[in-house]
Amino acid sequence: MNITVIGAGYVGLITASGLAETGHRVICVDDDQGKIDTLNAGGMPFYEPGLGDLVDRNRAAKRLEFISRIEDAVAQCEVIFICVGTPPLEDGEADLSSVELVARRISACARGYHLVIEKSTVPVQTGRRLQKHFSIYGDNSQSHYDVASNPEFLREGSGVEDFFHPDRIVIGVDSKKAAGLLEEVYRPVLEQSFVCPIHDSCGKRPHVPLVVTDINSAELIKHASNSFLAMKISFINMISDLCEAVGADAGKVAQAIGMDSRIGSSFLRPGIGFGGSCFPKDLQAFVRVGQSAGCDFTLLREVERINQRRVDLFVDKIKHELWVLRGKRIGVWGLAFKPRTDDVRSAPALAIIRRLLAEGAVVRAYDPQAMGKAKAQLPGVEYCADAYVVAEGADAVLALTEWEEFLSLDFEKVRTMMARPLIFDGRNMFSRIDMAEHGIEYVDVGSGAQLHNHTPTL
Ligand code: UDX
């Protein structure tokens, strides 16, 4: 099938190259000429494991091309995915101006039938607005449309894997034709009938469930999914505060409650909070959706509030140990909002560092992938070649992103290099016992066994 994907960000690029890999001919469009030139020159606009190879292979096979003019793509394709950004406005509502602009450009040039699929994360009833838009601005004598919703659930850092092996595919449609076309688009993924580009021996996998519903429900499924995951994280962070206060172990609590299959063990890792380009903005947008529909979304406001307080609580812990921060040398391991990505959008690490710099601390930092993007947002930090340079002469080191490589550090060496062997673990990635064996003072999130705290008797 000939498919157009508009927007070459995470969702767009992974969708475009994934669909090409499963045999479709895909034109990926982005009005950022610089990004298109980078892609056509074989470069990647961001770091995502496995994506570069996928793009190269499909471009070489002429199944994938990158252009900047929507009109040239629309003329060749019936199926159009809208994957543009929907960043938050001042008040947290989703900014849909890029979605509307794309709709305008499509309706100005489209001829014949087109299925326009919203894949960007959008508030409920956006599809309705698109339908209205096409009925007003589309030249109904020459063109007719179906609108559909097909939310994306990929995670940064494992986006390629999530495209080929999703838990489910959700489509929101208003017509059998639209449903049929989307099923055709995704057939190889639904039937897992493709040669897996990620796993050498992928083996026969069960078919992927296809959830077919109406457009409004499909749009809500995305916001509700992300808000629920964010709620799990804020829940365990709330519990971890209690564990610290009463002398219990949040890691054990999470492990045991997660064994209940109704709860599930994922997304119960306490820490410095969730960040990234999705959870914070989707939560804000969903709270506004609830509000404008006259519903009480206090629960999600609390999820936001608990998450925002993670940074304060973590900095308080550091001050509790280091007393005056002015002039203290603090090392930071990890800047990205999570491992396996160079993305620092709403990264808790950056918020923590800003607080430390504001208190006059001297900060050295290292991240395997995200230093370039962090530098743009955080001058005043010394970016280092590796984790050891960061530890050299430090009064404390903060582990803020759980990159695999930090687990295999030589902690004997780290201890001898630091002015005070003290590690604050904001992602509970290290073991308390290992740290003690290396003679390193260790403060994690959620265990009552903190260094110098007085557990109150309730
Ligand atoms: C998320 C959703 O997982 C994905 O389905 C959706 O399509 C986009 O948003 P992503 O933003 O890539 O994906 O990150 P995710 O892996 O979900 O992590 C989000 C944040 O939560 C990260 O900052 C991570 O560190 C934090 N997190 C995650 C926790 O603090 N604890 C956990 O147990 C899990």
Side-chain angles (χ1 to χ4, degrees):
M1 202 185 281
N2 291 342
I3 297 173
T4 290
V5 172
I6 302 174
Y10 276 92
V11 174
L13 211 43
I14 292 172
T15 303
S17 47
L19 291 174
E21 180 72 14
T22 59
H24 299 293
R25 180 172 160 263
V26 181
I27 305 175
C28 185
V29 185
D30 198 296
D31 55 11
D32 176 341
Q33 190 60 52
K35 196 185 273 185
I36 294 298
D37 295 345
T38 303
L39 286 159
N40 282 329
M44 287 297 293
F46 52 82
Y47 169 76
E48 180 68 26
L51 185 55
D53 298 346
L54 202 61
V55 168
D56 289 350
R57 189 171 45 252
N58 286 285
R59 208 154 32 87
K62 306 234 172 303
R63 284 193 301 266
L64 178 60
E65 63 180 289
F66 299 101
I67 65 173
S68 56
R69 275 176 45 80
I70 287 181
E71 294 72 13
D72 301 343
V74 169
Q76 303 175 47
C77 305
E78 237 188 12
V79 172
I80 303 170
F81 282 92
I82 300 181
C83 301
V84 295
T86 54
L89 293 166
E90 278 287 303
D91 66 356
E93 218 177 288
D95 176 358
L96 300 176
S97 53
S98 302
V99 175
E100 200 221 16
L101 179 63
V102 165
R104 270 183 187 283
R105 294 185 62 185
I106 293 173
S107 45
C109 67
R111 295 290 171 273
Y113 172 84
H114 285 89
L115 170 58
V116 179
I117 306 150
E118 45 178 39
K119 202 167 191 40
S120 308
T121 302
V122 292
V124 65
Q125 298 182 333
T126 302
R128 292 270 164 273
R129 288 197 171 282
L130 277 173
Q131 286 169 328
K132 187 170 171 208
H133 175 93
F134 288 125
S135 67
I136 296 169
Y137 296 99
D139 172 350
N140 300 326
S141 64
Q142 306 241 23
S143 58
H144 53 289
Y145 303 89
D146 264 325
V147 169
S149 166
N150 170 226
E152 183 48 61
F153 303 100
L154 64 87
R155 295 161 296 166
E156 291 182 32
S158 57
V160 174
E161 166 135 14
D162 292 346
F163 176 86
F164 288 105
H165 305 301
D167 291 334
R168 81 289 206 203
I169 290 179
V170 173
I171 60 172
V173 289
D174 263 2
S175 77
K176 281 205 169 39
K177 181 169 184 174
L181 273 172
L182 271 165
E183 208 166 329
E184 210 46 47
V185 166
Y186 281 115
R187 188 169 305 288
V189 176
L190 291 167
E191 297 172 355
Q192 293 287 290
S193 57
F194 54 82
V195 179
C196 183
I198 310 158
H199 310 105
D200 300 341
S201 56
C202 208
K204 195 74 197 97
R205 289 185 177 230
H207 283 204
V208 171
L210 175 64
V211 178
V212 182
T213 180
D214 61 277
I215 299 176
N216 284 347
S217 304
E219 292 162 337
L220 263 181
I221 289 168
K222 173 63 186 183
H223 267 158
S225 301
N226 272 3
S227 302
F228 189 89
L229 292 169
M231 183 179 69
K232 271 187 101 172
I233 298 168
S234 280
F235 176 82
I236 201 63
N237 280 331
M238 177 187 76
I239 296 292
S240 78
D241 295 345
L242 179 62
C243 289
E244 287 183 10
V246 300
D249 182 342
K252 282 286 175 221
V253 174
Q255 188 192 4
I257 66 173
M259 289 173 176
D260 183 326
S261 58
R262 296 164 300 171
I263 300 174
S265 59
S266 64
F267 281 64
L268 285 178
R269 196 166 22 81
I272 52 177
F274 54 77
S277 60
C278 295
F279 282 3
K281 91 167 164 79
D282 293 349
L283 210 50
Q284 281 187 47
F286 202 29
V287 166
R288 272 141 205 92
V289 165
Q291 233 172 14
S292 50
C295 303
D296 178 353
F297 268 36
T298 316
L299 173 67
L300 296 186
R301 280 179 184 287
E302 281 308 304
V303 169
E304 277 183 307
R305 200 184 58 72
I306 290 169
N307 196 60
Q308 278 143 13
R309 267 185 52 70
R310 304 313 296 164
V311 168
D312 304 332
L313 291 171
F314 195 72
V315 172
D316 290 350
K317 271 187 194 167
I318 299 167
K319 288 169 81 170
H320 182 79
E321 277 308 320
L322 294 185
W323 197 9
V324 177
L325 294 186
R326 183 164 303 287
K328 289 282 184 346
R329 295 169 64 110
I330 299 182
V332 170
W333 291 339
L335 298 161
F337 82 98
K338 61 183 228 182
R340 298 166 54 83
T341 178
D342 62 356
D343 199 342
V344 293
R345 286 176 286 181
S346 302
L350 271 57
I352 289 167
I353 293 173
R354 282 197 189 91
R355 289 282 311 275
L356 300 175
L357 293 173
E359 305 241 358
V362 178
V363 177
R364 285 180 162 194
Y366 166 72
D367 186 288
Q369 290 290 342
M371 290 195 287
K373 299 228 168 124
K375 272 182 195 148
Q377 291 197 31
L378 258 189
V381 167
E382 191 185 330
Y383 294 94
C384 304
D386 64 37
Y388 295 109
V389 181
V390 163
E392 188 138 26
D395 297 295
V397 162
L398 319 180
L400 302 182
T401 314
E402 64 278 26
W403 285 96
E404 192 86 15
E405 71 173 66
F406 297 146
L407 295 173
S408 49
L409 289 170
D410 172 349
F411 285 97
E412 268 321 293
K413 181 174 169 188
V414 168
R415 181 178 57 75
T416 54
M417 295 177 79
M418 293 180 72
R420 176 182 171 183
L422 167 61
I423 292 180
F424 291 88
D425 188 348
R427 293 298 182 186
N428 290 1
M429 58 186 297
F430 302 125
S431 123
R432 168 172 299 286
I433 296 161
D434 289 356
M435 290 299 136
E437 273 163 16
H438 290 295
I440 292 176
E441 299 171 77
Y442 178 70
V443 180
D444 65 2
V445 176
S447 70
Q450 298 308 338
L451 282 181
H452 304 106
N453 70 335
H454 314 291
T455 312
T457 311
L458 295 188

